[in-house]
């Protein structure tokens, strides 16, 4: 919510129906946005959403967590039982975001990522710089020999399938290949389904880790 809308303080002012209609006409992603427009019209027609509230991003995203219409259809909840899904209402918005994470397979109390210090002999093919897909994953015990500070990671199941990301490489001029580096787990990849950005997922997981001792 913090990343998407500055904790709900800026949810966008564009007329979402107009935005989606315009983007549907654009041939670059016409099929995707046409489908999103039709889904939204059906949600309005079935009175699940009040069309008067539909102001958000230029790309058709809506509410505190910036849900696209297909995400609203599949994961949003009328948590306060007022017969409308209002993602600018904290009750519906937080319940819908939690339901979305749960449906994606988020595992409570499971690992998200650890920052690591890599040896220079790690094969470069294991270093992911793209958020499209984490490739060349292996069991954690395979990577053990490449991680200098492995003993500082704490108790972790070494049979877990993990990947390694080096998000600054090829993005920040002069960034070192091996620094910073992170070992990422299934929960991290669930966040990537929400937003395909290595930094987005790192930010969300960092906040999650800082919350765990405060709740």
């Amino acid at each position: 919510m913090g990343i998407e809308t500055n904790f709900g303080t800026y949810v966008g002012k564009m007329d979402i129906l107009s935005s989606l209609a315009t983007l549907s006409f654009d041939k670059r992603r016409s099929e995707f946005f046409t489908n999103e427009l039709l889904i939204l019209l059906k949600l309005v027609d079935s009175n699940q959403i009040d069309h008067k509230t539909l102001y958000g991003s230029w790309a058709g995203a809506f509410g505190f967590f910036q849900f696209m219409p297909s995400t609203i259809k599949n994961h949003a909840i009328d948590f306060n039982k007022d017969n409308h899904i209002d993602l600018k209402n904290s009750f519906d918005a937080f319940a819908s975001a939690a339901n979305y994470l749960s449906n994606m397979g988020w595992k409570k109390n499971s690992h998200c990522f650890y920052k690591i210090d890599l040896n220079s002999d790690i094969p470069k093919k294991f270093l992911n710089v793209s958020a499209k897909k984490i490739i060349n994953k292996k069991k954690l015990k395979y990577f053990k020999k490449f991680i200098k500070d492995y003993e500082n990671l704490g108790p972790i199941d070494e049979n877990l399938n993990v990947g390694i990301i080096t998000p600054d490489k090829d993005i920040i001029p002069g960034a070192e290949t091996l620094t910073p580096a992170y070992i990422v787990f299934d929960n991290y990849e669930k966040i990537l389904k929400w937003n395909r950005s290595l930094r987005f997922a790192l930010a969300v997981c960092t906040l999650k880790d800082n919350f765990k001792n405060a709740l």
Side-chain angles (χ1 to χ4, degrees):
M1 182 181 178
I3 298 172
E4 297 286 4
T5 63
N6 194 26
F7 297 101
T9 60
Y10 186 78
V11 294
K13 298 180 180 179
M14 301 292 292
D15 178 345
I16 291 174
L17 288 170
S18 294
S19 295
L20 290 173
T22 300
L23 290 166
S24 296
F25 187 74
D26 188 328
K27 294 181 180 180
R28 288 173 295 180
R29 298 185 68 191
S30 178
E31 183 177 352
F32 171 79
F33 286 110
T34 298
N35 184 57
E36 294 293 328
L37 175 61
L38 292 174
I39 289 173
L40 186 59
L41 289 172
K42 289 177 182 178
L43 289 170
V44 171
D45 190 51
S46 62
N47 292 317
Q48 294 183 67
I49 292 179
D50 182 356
H51 75 278
K52 296 177 183 177
T53 69
L54 292 178
Y55 291 88
S57 81
W58 65 270
F62 175 69
F64 290 162
F65 291 90
Q66 294 291 278
F67 278 21
M68 291 297 289
S70 57
T71 307
I72 297 174
K73 175 188 174 184
N74 294 327
H75 306 290
I77 295 174
D78 174 21
F79 188 77
N80 62 1
K81 306 298 182 183
D82 66 352
N83 297 318
H84 282 97
I85 296 171
D86 183 3
L87 298 181
K88 295 177 184 175
N89 172 287
S90 293
F91 292 102
D92 288 0
F94 279 102
S96 297
N99 189 52
Y100 186 16
L101 284 172
S102 178
N103 291 343
M104 285 193 296
W106 177 272
K107 296 178 182 177
K108 184 179 179 181
N109 299 323
S110 292
H111 305 291
C112 200
F113 77 86
Y114 281 107
K115 189 173 183 179
I116 55 175
D117 188 7
L118 289 169
N119 291 317
S120 59
D121 58 347
I122 184 170
K124 298 301 185 288
K125 68 178 182 179
F126 293 119
L127 306 180
N128 287 272
V129 297
S130 171
K132 290 183 179 180
K133 186 178 181 180
I134 304 299
I135 61 173
N136 292 325
K137 294 166 63 177
K138 294 281 187 180
K139 289 184 178 180
L140 178 57
K141 60 185 177 183
Y142 176 84
F143 290 122
K144 186 175 181 178
K145 58 182 175 291
F146 299 120
I147 302 174
K148 294 180 183 178
D149 52 344
Y150 184 84
E151 66 280 356
N152 295 328
L153 298 184
I156 306 176
D157 181 357
E158 293 190 337
N159 289 310
L160 289 174
N161 230 31
V162 301
I164 294 176
I165 63 168
T166 50
D168 287 359
K169 180 64 178 172
D170 298 331
I171 297 175
I172 299 178
E176 294 183 40
T177 301
L178 302 178
T179 305
Y182 305 85
I183 195 157
V184 296
F185 301 83
D186 282 348
N187 271 352
Y188 179 87
E189 294 193 69
K190 303 308 178 188
I191 300 298
L192 288 182
K193 290 184 178 181
W194 186 304
N195 187 316
R196 288 285 173 187
S197 164
L198 296 178
R199 289 170 182 75
F200 180 94
L202 285 173
V204 171
C205 287
T206 297
L207 185 60
K208 169 258 185 188
D209 287 341
N210 279 279
F211 273 150
K212 68 182 179 183
N213 293 322
L215 297 178

